[in-house]
Amino acid sequence: MSSKRKLEVVIVGGGIGGASAAIFLSSIEGINVTVLENRPGRSSEVEGGILMLGPNGMNVLKGLGVSAHLLSRPNGVPVQWLSILDSAGGYIGKVPQGSTARYGFSSTMIIRWDILEVLLDEVEKRRIPIRWNSKVVGLEQMSDGAIVRWTEGGTEHEKKVDLLVGSDGIWSNVRTLMYKGLGLATPKPVYSGLLGTGGFVDSASIPGIGDYFNAERPVVVIHGCRGFICLSQIDKEAKRIAWWATYEAADRSREEWQIPRDEIFKELNRRFSDWAFPVSQILEVAEKSTAKAPLLWPISEVEGLPHWHNDGTVVLIGDAAHAMPPHSAQGASQALEDAAHLGHLLRQYMSSSGEQEASLSDIRSVLSTFQKAREGRVGEIIAKANQRGDQKRDISAFGMFVRKWGMKLVIMFMQESWMDGWFGYQVPGIDEWEKSRKSSA
């Protein structure tokens, strides 16, 4: 391997998928990795929304050697159960979210920013170069690699690479350029008709909230006729509460989604002000706070993308390949799985190629195997997410009555083993990363 030219890999996007892919690929002997990120730099403040990281995602972070780092941060609470209520406060049931005994980890309610911070710490520790303020503007597939062009702080750059990984999100530039190179229309994200909005409030500002949550009930999801709300403890000292509402809303242009703060709360109050404690109290505090406007997220997806790679040396992962609605609570976990699986296949290839230089057909074979291995699992999760999303749409009182008792019946017979397909899944070779890391330490 020492006499063979190293593979040059550029990863576009330094989010969860891109950063984890950078760590995996940089761990493989014979690969140089560079990350291009559009943001100007690392954020010094907590930003972004909450997400549920499943045991399968946590096991990928364990393979990277950063799971303990994440769990030691102030934010993040273990979630073995989701408590389901109706808008009047009536108890519907609880749904298992994974136990440490069965899966090695429970699910974890966490802020996206915390996951990214842990990953970027590791990227910096490994001295993987990140070129901030970089936007990809051109892509050309060659017979022996690809040429990627980008602007960085107003200056144009280009680099010939053996592999380009597009991990630049739902509005991926790499996806657009890749499909253009294939001579195909670029698939656009499709709005689901559901809007998500949410934020954080201080627990001390809601009298009685301390008795609402506990270790057995850190997360509550509430279904009603006019939408859905999730409430969660977010930090280990229970000082802050995260809230997230989902409801039907007409489509708008990307610019029109810049909705004024007062208009957001007007709609939230119209839908949820008569819901049982602590919904209206949390919204009242959030509206009166001096914090910036709630996060607003039109829920869109990229489903059934036919090409995750260009039959050359360009591949898409994470939201760039399969942006999924949040109703599955698997978006981040699936991006992590993508990164780990791509890393596994490239590690296998590099260890078997000996002194042979990588060819276009070699990389093409790896990327084709990657898509075939991943798209079935991802597709099943998206389908289930859409089913769950339909339960957050407006419904009549009678319809809600039927739904509530249908949910009660299903939950009554639900077993933790039902989640084995999601939470028990392990990316091929994930344990080998931990073993190789320990052996080289």
Side-chain angles (χ1 to χ4, degrees):
M1 184 66 71
S2 60
S3 63
K4 186 169 66 172
R5 179 183 65 85
K6 288 191 173 185
L7 291 185
E8 292 294 332
V9 177
V10 164
I11 297 172
V12 181
I16 292 174
S20 55
I23 300 168
F24 278 121
L25 299 191
S26 71
S27 303
I28 303 171
E29 185 180 357
I31 294 182
N32 286 330
V33 178
T34 301
V35 178
L36 305 180
E37 170 55 45
N38 192 35
R39 292 174 299 158
R42 288 183 67 168
S43 172
S44 59
E45 299 179 353
V46 177
E47 61 181 16
I50 59 170
L51 61 83
M52 186 87 81
L53 191 63
N56 52 314
M58 288 298 302
N59 271 300
V60 174
L61 293 182
K62 180 183 178 184
L64 286 173
V66 300
S67 58
H69 185 186
L70 179 66
L71 294 177
S72 70
R73 293 176 70 87
N75 291 327
V77 294
V79 182
Q80 294 196 49
W81 303 91
L82 289 181
S83 296
I84 316 296
L85 278 62
D86 63 24
S87 60
Y91 182 72
I92 295 175
K94 61 180 184 179
V95 177
Q97 293 300 293
S99 65
T100 302
R102 190 173 186 88
Y103 302 117
F105 294 94
S106 63
S107 290
T108 302
M109 186 64 85
I110 189 73
I111 300 175
R112 180 179 295 274
W113 178 83
D114 283 282
I115 303 174
L116 187 54
E117 281 292 285
V118 166
L119 292 171
L120 290 178
D121 283 346
E122 187 69 15
V123 167
E124 291 186 357
K125 177 182 175 182
R126 292 169 179 258
R127 298 183 179 179
I128 302 169
I130 298 184
R131 305 188 69 159
W132 300 98
N133 203 25
S134 295
K135 181 178 181 180
V136 172
V137 295
L139 171 62
E140 183 178 358
Q141 179 66 57
M142 311 292 285
S143 61
D144 57 349
I147 296 176
V148 58
R149 299 183 179 89
W150 72 94
T151 59
E152 184 177 339
T155 304
E156 294 186 1
H157 300 265
E158 72 172 44
K159 184 181 179 70
K160 187 175 181 182
V161 299
D162 298 288
L163 176 63
L164 180 69
V165 180
S167 184
D168 49 342
I170 189 170
W171 299 100
S172 168
N173 280 345
V174 175
R175 182 176 65 232
T176 298
L177 293 167
M178 189 185 89
Y179 270 77
K180 182 179 179 181
L182 290 169
L184 300 172
T186 304
K188 301 294 184 183
V190 177
Y191 176 56
S192 66
L194 291 169
L195 177 64
T197 182
F200 305 91
V201 296
D202 292 334
S203 300
S205 63
I206 313 289
I209 198 70
D211 297 326
Y212 188 78
F213 296 104
N214 54 54
E216 292 294 315
R217 194 170 90 161
V219 180
V220 176
V221 297
I222 309 169
H223 289 268
C225 296
R226 298 187 297 277
F228 164 97
I229 285 185
C230 174
L231 307 175
S232 175
Q233 292 182 335
I234 198 61
D235 60 303
K236 293 177 174 61
E237 296 184 0
K239 291 182 177 180
R240 290 198 304 163
I241 302 299
W243 62 275
W244 185 265
T246 305
Y247 53 87
E248 284 190 290
D251 197 7
R252 307 181 183 211
S253 68
R254 292 184 71 180
E255 295 74 22
E256 289 174 330
W257 280 117
Q258 303 301 315
I259 302 175
R261 190 177 194 276
D262 58 346
E263 186 177 331
I264 296 173
F265 279 105
K266 181 179 180 180
E267 181 63 12
L268 287 169
N269 287 324
R270 183 184 75 82
R271 289 178 172 273
F272 306 118
S273 63
D274 60 346
W275 284 26
F277 178 88
V279 174
S280 61
Q281 290 81 0
I282 286 175
L283 292 179
E284 181 181 3
V285 169
E287 185 174 8
K288 291 179 178 179
S289 75
T290 58
K292 56 187 177 182
L295 291 170
L296 200 67
W297 195 260
I299 297 172
S300 302
E301 65 182 86
V302 179
E303 184 180 359
L305 196 70
H307 301 280
W308 293 17
H309 62 91
N310 68 343
D311 205 27
T313 58
V314 181
V315 66
L316 306 173
I317 67 171
D319 283 355
H322 50 70
M324 59 180 63
H327 322 301
S328 67
Q330 278 286 310
S333 293
Q334 292 310 302
L336 288 166
E337 286 187 14
D338 280 355
H341 207 127
L342 181 62
H344 168 68
L345 294 173
L346 284 168
R347 182 176 58 185
Q348 282 188 320
Y349 165 70
M350 295 296 287
S351 64
S352 65
S353 61
E355 298 301 315
Q356 179 184 351
E357 294 285 350
S359 67
L360 181 65
S361 62
D362 295 330
I363 300 298
R364 180 191 297 132
S365 177
V366 169
L367 302 187
S368 177
T369 300
F370 168 73
Q371 179 172 348
K372 290 176 182 177
R374 293 292 300 152
E375 61 185 346
R377 173 169 170 78
V378 168
E380 289 177 2
I381 290 173
I382 290 176
K384 185 63 176 179
N386 284 326
Q387 291 178 12
R388 293 182 178 182
D390 286 340
Q391 295 182 342
K392 301 175 183 180
R393 300 183 187 277
D394 293 357
I395 194 172
S396 67
F398 177 73
M400 186 62 215
F401 175 83
V402 173
R403 175 186 295 170
K404 173 182 173 179
W405 286 97
M407 292 171 67
K408 277 181 172 287
L409 183 62
V410 171
I411 292 172
M412 185 183 304
F413 294 99
M414 185 171 288
Q415 303 292 323
E416 186 179 21
S417 60
W418 289 16
M419 301 304 297
D420 284 357
W422 285 19
F423 297 156
Y425 176 83
Q426 290 201 348
V427 177
I430 193 64
D431 290 338
E432 296 172 22
W433 298 99
E434 185 176 11
K435 293 176 183 177
S436 63
R437 189 176 61 255
K438 289 180 178 178
S439 64
S440 62

